[in-house]
Amino acid sequence: MKYDSNRDLTRKTAETELPEKPYSFWRATTEFPTFPTLEQELDTEIAVVGAGITGITAAYLLVLEGRKVVLVEGDRVLNGTTGHTTAKVTSQHGLIYDHLRSHFSDEQARLYYEGAEEAKAFMQQLVQDNGIDCDWQEETAYIYAENEDSGFKQLKKEMDAYRELGLPGEWVESLPIPLSIEGAIALPGQARFHPLQYLKFLLLEFLRLGGTIYENTMISEVENDERPRLLVQDRDFGIRCDTVISGSHYPVTDQNGFYFARLQPERSYTLAIRAETPFEGGMYISADEPKHSLRSATFDDQQYIIVGGKGHRTGQEGDTIMHYAELKMFAGNLFGLHDIPYRWSSQDLYSLDKLPCIGPLTSDTPNILVGTAYAKWGMTTGTLAAIMLTDQAMGRDNRYAELFDPARKVPFLKRMQTAVEHNMTVAKELVTGKLDFNRHKAEDLKPDQGAVVWQRGKRTGAYRDPQGNLHLVDTTCTHMGCEVQWNEAERSWDCPCHGGRFDYKGEVLEGPPTEPLKKR
């Protein structure tokens, strides 16, 4: 696929044709009730932190078990990664199976596949049994290569892994959509759906069965006593419980698990478009770089194409609007564009070995459980995590527990290579951020424009809102002291070290930080 090489023209076109502000298609097409903020000390059996797919599913399953469950969310429910997904329900997680065979074993690679299939079957059964109106459609998933480059070579190895593991994938050399390829792996029997319509049903069932939900209640730490106590930020009360389940992207507490050094954050971008030509079905992701993802969705009898990709490490790309612009060009060349009603981005975490971390936070905290590092495949992995964490909270064995144990032994060479690369990046950002000698001035900012400026001799984050008001913040991240960068496309301050994000006023959008940026 060839793109216009004139970057300025591409960017100007994007600014005029893209939605002014990011907003998820899923959020825009789902109405939720509001829930109160916690205002007093609580005592419960199980406290679930994070109202995304893992937290909501686990809370629902545990209340079905007759447990007293409180679900706590630092923002609004489903306003995190789950609300900004591409929502593919599939066991085809990119080029994963050759990787697993190379770094683990065939038995473990096969177990990974079976876990994803179990989660998919669980979701489908819930939809069928309860008649959930969530646009659930069976689809064939494809991972494809456009060129005979490294992506194609990796794809051939992935197909070999499918054959060796007995997975039901098929090699094909054409796709139902108008995209010329060198080859693809087709995996039938996968699905797409509307994730928030599905999870809204679970959320309301959780309430009906006696569960309790609190929004806008930020948990700053967990006291690890015999019965853990969750501390509510800036308040003198908390939640005492028997078991904590963290489904909050970054774990709600670290407890010397050093997750900030083990998890790598990446942002990616998505458009919901209405096309001039119909989408012929299937779900697609490229093996080549840059990554592209495609699937369709239906709402109010209209077809939308969900176009995603262009991932990069959080806080390390300046001109983020260009990622939307390039997705627009990719989709337009394939289908023609009628309009682009929605654009949004999301943040995902990767572990050092590409496996999720599901289970006890550390070997010393058996009653603090965590699900994280889903590596962009949160629909099946997040659901499987909820099933596993429910079993663990109920004292039951689960056959996936050893594979996904956060305390598992990562293959040594892979662990060392990835950890060194990750933490060298952190060290570099700590130093170079402090040595940023740009001399932008706050008074030069136009309405709806932000930048790092120098104000009274100090590095300062500045944003002038559409009404002309200037908002100034200290650019030092409150997590570990890295310097945040301005994300123009999202109007946010993003940390390049561990992925913390803040809105233009300095309020926390994404962990691991829990404290806002200081005002200037």
Side-chain angles (χ1 to χ4, degrees):
M1 188 64 61
K2 294 183 179 180
Y3 300 107
D4 190 336
S5 61
N6 189 325
R7 186 179 179 88
D8 291 338
L9 178 60
T10 301
R11 195 179 192 290
K12 183 176 181 180
T13 302
E15 289 176 334
T16 58
E17 296 184 8
L18 290 171
E20 180 183 357
K21 294 183 178 180
Y23 196 39
S24 158
F25 169 76
W26 315 119
R27 295 286 309 180
T29 54
T30 310
E31 292 184 5
F32 289 99
T34 58
F35 301 99
T37 300
L38 182 62
E39 297 291 352
Q40 61 183 1
E41 184 82 14
L42 278 186
D43 194 292
T44 189
E45 290 182 273
I46 299 176
V48 180
V49 183
I53 191 165
T54 298
I56 291 173
T57 307
Y60 166 77
L61 291 174
L62 285 162
V63 82
L64 283 177
E65 298 269 7
R67 306 301 295 271
K68 184 179 179 183
V69 184
V70 172
L71 177 61
V72 185
E73 169 57 50
D75 188 14
R76 294 287 314 281
V77 299
L78 290 165
N79 202 33
T81 299
T82 299
H84 296 80
T85 177
T86 54
K88 296 175 180 177
V89 186
T90 179
S91 307
Q92 191 184 70
H93 295 175
L95 299 168
I96 187 64
Y97 295 107
D98 177 63
H99 167 81
L100 293 176
R101 292 187 72 222
S102 299
H103 293 88
F104 296 92
S105 68
D106 283 10
E107 290 77 12
Q108 289 168 307
R110 177 76 196 190
L111 192 62
Y112 180 99
Y113 170 79
E114 291 171 1
E117 284 290 300
E118 181 176 322
K120 178 165 63 69
F122 168 88
M123 298 170 75
Q124 184 170 6
Q125 196 66 52
L126 263 181
V127 171
Q128 292 174 350
D129 290 350
N130 296 282
I132 304 174
D133 184 10
C134 61
D135 192 33
W136 184 279
Q137 297 290 331
E138 184 172 307
E139 297 275 14
T140 297
Y142 300 86
I143 180 168
Y144 66 88
E146 291 186 73
N147 306 300
E148 289 188 335
D149 56 10
S150 61
F152 178 74
K153 294 174 183 177
Q154 290 176 310
L155 188 63
K156 295 289 284 186
K157 290 182 179 179
E158 186 74 1
M159 188 68 240
D160 291 340
Y162 273 58
R163 294 189 182 105
E164 291 296 324
L165 296 171
L167 308 188
E170 178 187 0
W171 184 265
V172 297
E173 296 185 350
S174 63
L175 300 176
I177 59 174
L179 185 62
S180 177
I181 63 169
E182 292 296 326
I185 301 172
L187 185 64
Q190 310 305 291
R192 62 170 175 83
F193 74 145
H194 191 307
L196 300 201
Q197 297 290 359
Y198 166 85
L199 289 165
K200 180 179 179 180
F201 171 83
L202 297 188
L203 198 67
L204 296 179
E205 280 295 288
F206 170 70
L207 287 174
R208 185 183 69 80
L209 293 166
T212 306
I213 302 172
Y214 294 99
E215 291 183 318
N216 299 307
T217 301
M218 177 70 75
I219 303 301
S220 59
E221 189 49 87
V222 178
E223 293 178 340
N224 185 25
D225 298 327
E226 183 177 346
R227 297 186 74 231
R229 183 170 180 264
L230 285 71
L231 306 181
V232 179
Q233 185 169 312
D234 299 328
R235 308 302 292 266
D236 58 0
F237 52 78
I239 303 173
R240 182 76 67 180
C241 61
D242 299 318
T243 303
V244 177
I245 291 180
S246 173
S248 58
H249 210 42
Y250 260 95
V252 68
T253 183
D254 196 284
Q255 304 286 338
N256 295 321
F258 300 103
Y259 282 83
F260 64 87
R262 296 164 53 192
L263 302 178
Q264 301 179 36
E266 182 174 301
R267 293 203 70 72
S268 54
Y269 301 82
T270 309
L271 302 176
I273 72 167
R274 286 188 286 226
E276 294 175 351
T277 58
F279 189 83
E280 296 299 331
M283 303 188 300
Y284 307 86
I285 189 165
S286 62
D288 316 286
E289 295 292 343
K291 284 286 186 288
H292 290 124
S293 167
L294 291 161
R295 56 151 290 191
S296 65
T298 304
F299 186 78
D300 281 348
D301 296 324
Q302 289 195 50
Q303 185 185 69
Y304 297 80
I305 302 176
I306 309 299
V307 186
K310 300 298 295 180
H312 64 85
R313 187 173 173 125
T314 302
Q316 296 188 15
E317 296 256 345
D319 198 2
T320 47
I321 200 72
M322 282 298 298
H323 298 302
Y324 288 113
E326 289 166 11
L327 288 177
K328 169 188 168 294
M329 294 183 68
F330 171 75
N333 287 339
L334 284 179
F335 307 107
L337 292 178
H338 182 271
D339 64 351
I340 307 173
Y342 305 102
R343 68 173 175 94
W344 66 94
S345 68
S346 63
Q347 187 147 304
D348 294 273
L349 297 175
Y350 292 77
S351 71
L352 299 181
D353 60 6
K354 296 187 180 180
L355 287 181
C357 298
I358 305 169
L361 182 76
T362 70
S363 57
D364 297 325
T365 58
N367 53 355
I368 303 178
L369 307 175
V370 63
T372 189
Y374 302 155
K376 296 187 179 179
W377 300 105
M379 298 299 96
T380 47
T381 310
T383 298
L384 180 64
I387 295 169
M388 292 176 59
L389 297 174
T390 297
D391 282 346
Q392 291 169 343
M394 297 299 296
R396 296 190 292 256
D397 292 335
N398 186 286
R399 70 192 189 105
Y400 307 106
E402 183 178 353
L403 179 62
F404 299 136
D405 186 350
R408 64 184 175 268
K409 293 182 179 179
V410 177
F412 180 76
L413 290 178
K414 181 64 178 175
R415 179 178 75 242
M416 290 304 297
Q417 176 189 353
T418 310
V420 167
E421 290 173 355
H422 173 52
N423 290 294
M424 282 184 65
T425 299
V426 171
K428 175 186 174 184
E429 292 296 337
L430 273 167
V431 174
T432 58
K434 306 296 183 186
L435 299 178
D436 181 356
F437 294 117
N438 78 75
R439 289 293 183 266
H440 297 302
K441 296 181 180 178
E443 53 265 32
D444 294 335
L445 293 177
K446 299 176 182 177
D448 196 26
Q449 187 176 29
V452 173
V453 302
W454 284 83
Q455 190 85 347
R456 298 176 183 172
K458 294 183 178 180
R459 190 181 194 273
T460 300
Y463 171 73
R464 191 176 300 280
D465 66 28
Q467 291 72 43
N469 303 308
L470 191 62
H471 303 268
L472 300 175
V473 297
D474 186 331
T475 58
T476 303
C477 180
T478 56
H479 175 231
M480 293 188 70
C482 291
E483 295 299 316
V484 298
Q485 306 295 333
W486 178 244
N487 178 339
E488 180 182 8
E490 315 302 319
R491 278 84 162 178
S492 65
W493 295 105
D494 296 358
C495 179
C497 290
H498 303 109
R501 298 181 63 242
F502 307 82
D503 68 15
Y504 67 84
K505 295 180 180 179
E507 298 299 321
V508 176
L509 293 173
E510 301 258 5
T514 60
E515 295 288 340
L517 298 175
K518 294 178 180 178
K519 304 288 186 182
R520 278 280 171 84

